[in-house]
Amino acid sequence: MKILVINGPNLNMLGIREPDIYGRETYSSLCEKIRAHAEKIAVDTEIYQSNHEGDLVDKIQAAYGKFDGIVINPAAYTHTSVALLDALKAVCIPAVEVHISDVSLREDFRQISYVRAACEKTISGHGTDGYLEAIDYLLEKYGES
Ligand code: DQA
């Protein structure tokens, strides 16, 4: 099974940005954690991060026919991007939305998620473990295909 893990803007600043909210784990240690977990359960992963909405759209489109699942933390674009929603709908690849923080307990503007309508599941507030839970979910549901 092949899973694409996509991270949106400012997630490359993990470990530096607002550690009280996002913790002290760096982006590269998050990537290592995802790779180690995926290897253990024999899932192929590619991890991608961009600060640019169009690049994220391009990456989702390029996943068509190549990946069996998408784990996406669109970061701030969660709350603004119809383009990411449309891209996820276009490729029809099973997707899980992940947020490190619990967005439901934060500002009003974070209560809207455009991408949610194209995702099977949302995992929010489980820290970086949420990425691993999302991979496990996709493997359990689609691993045989
Ligand atoms: C986030 C939550 C978003 O509201 C925020 O803009 C982020 C990170 C999270 O992982 O908790 O950049 O997606």
Side-chain angles (χ1 to χ4, degrees):
M1 178 177 210
K2 288 191 72 175
I3 295 178
L4 175 63
V5 180
I6 299 179
N7 282 300
N10 301 306
L11 288 167
N12 55 313
M13 297 294 282
L14 277 182
I16 298 164
R17 75 181 287 214
E18 302 177 273
D20 45 321
I21 297 175
Y22 300 111
R24 297 208 174 265
E25 198 177 338
T26 62
Y27 184 67
S28 63
S29 72
L30 166 64
C31 294
E32 267 320 297
K33 179 172 167 169
I34 292 169
R35 285 193 197 100
H37 182 72
E39 199 174 309
K40 201 167 69 192
I41 58 175
V43 166
D44 244 10
T45 48
E46 181 182 330
I47 306 170
Y48 177 79
Q49 190 275 331
S50 176
N51 294 323
H52 306 282
E53 187 175 13
D55 289 346
L56 296 166
V57 169
D58 287 345
K59 194 68 188 175
I60 293 168
Q61 290 184 4
Y64 181 72
K66 296 202 179 81
F67 287 90
D68 310 302
I70 293 177
V71 172
I72 183 163
N73 182 347
Y77 292 137
T78 307
H79 318 299
T80 61
S81 181
V82 177
L84 289 180
L85 167 66
D86 287 348
L88 288 168
K89 281 186 168 172
V91 296
C92 267
I93 299 171
V96 178
E97 174 189 11
V98 170
H99 299 287
I100 295 166
S101 66
D102 186 347
V103 284
S104 73
L105 301 176
R106 299 182 63 193
E107 301 94 325
D108 286 351
F109 64 84
R110 294 186 207 273
Q111 303 313 310
I112 291 169
S113 168
Y114 286 95
V115 299
R116 196 157 299 169
C119 293
E120 289 196 10
K121 191 178 167 72
T122 298
I123 298 169
S124 180
H126 296 188
T128 56
D129 285 351
Y131 290 87
L132 312 188
E133 291 169 31
I135 290 169
D136 289 347
Y137 168 84
L138 289 168
L139 176 64
E140 195 171 316
K141 189 149 178 207
Y142 299 101
E144 297 306 311
S145 62

